[in-house]
Amino acid sequence: MSDSSAPERPLEHHVFDEWPDAVRALFDGSSLASKTGFTASLLSVDTNGHVRTSLLGVGELYAPDSRTLCIALWPQARATRAIAQSGRAALTFVCDEAFYQVQLLMTPLASVAGDASGLVYLHGSIDTAEAQSVRYARLTSGITFALEGEGEAVLDRWERQIEHLKQAAAAAGR
């Protein structure tokens, strides 16, 4: 006699093409002070095949809808150049006790009137995305940070950056 029940799989794997609610709330551009410390890793590959990483906080990420993510990057960052060349990037992060990896198709957004930050704004569409977790271990965080010294100035800058990302996304009709 065989046991008809399937063995429990230790790995939970979810594929998605729209941001789950918890992720959408994380990237909604609101309550930035309460989300300080969250870090996402933006990965890109340059023309030499080298992986470039930029660590981003919630003040540099904005999801205007369920399938896209707008990103603010410094123009001198190697990842910015790599994304401009390839049009692709991957975002990895921990949220809601799961590890997320999202492949993004990237395009530039127009600059925003009155924005003197010098940042480059990009629009990413979800190409493929997955979340993984295991039942025997709960992910409590990924890479995290604490604002030091000029934390209020950083939060103020993030508020402006998110506003500019919102304006750039709206101007692009996204």
Side-chain angles (χ1 to χ4, degrees):
M1 185 156 108
S2 67
D3 182 5
S4 62
S5 65
E8 273 194 57
R9 292 177 35 153
L11 176 68
E12 295 287 325
H13 182 254
H14 302 282
V15 176
F16 61 92
D17 60 0
E18 291 189 3
W19 296 116
D21 291 342
V23 175
R24 185 89 190 270
L26 183 62
F27 298 150
D28 69 1
S30 70
S31 304
L32 298 180
S34 70
K35 299 171 186 174
T36 299
F38 168 84
T39 307
S41 180
L42 183 72
L43 305 163
S44 57
V45 178
D46 68 18
T47 55
N48 295 324
H50 297 127
V51 175
R52 300 298 177 195
T53 303
S54 291
L55 298 178
L56 305 175
V58 292
E60 294 142 334
L61 303 164
Y62 169 64
D65 60 52
S66 65
R67 295 177 184 260
T68 62
L69 185 68
C70 296
I71 300 171
L73 292 176
W74 294 107
Q76 67 272 25
R78 292 180 295 181
T80 304
R81 290 190 301 277
I83 292 168
Q85 294 164 349
S86 70
R88 301 185 66 83
L91 190 75
T92 62
F93 56 94
V94 171
C95 178
D96 202 25
E97 300 181 354
F99 174 76
Y100 286 81
Q101 183 169 337
V102 182
Q103 303 292 323
L104 298 164
L105 301 174
M106 306 295 295
T107 57
L109 286 168
S111 51
V112 176
D115 175 16
S117 69
L119 293 170
V120 172
Y121 301 119
L122 302 169
H123 174 270
S125 299
I126 295 174
D127 183 23
T128 62
E130 59 186 46
Q132 298 177 26
S133 61
V134 292
R135 292 186 180 140
Y136 58 84
R138 197 171 47 86
L139 288 174
T140 57
S141 70
I143 300 169
T144 59
F145 68 92
L147 290 175
E148 301 288 328
E150 300 179 19
E152 286 300 315
V154 171
L155 284 172
D156 289 343
R157 186 182 79 228
W158 281 2
E159 293 286 347
R160 287 189 305 275
Q161 287 173 192
I162 290 296
E163 275 310 307
H164 292 147
L165 281 171
K166 288 177 179 179
Q167 292 172 21
R174 299 175 173 159

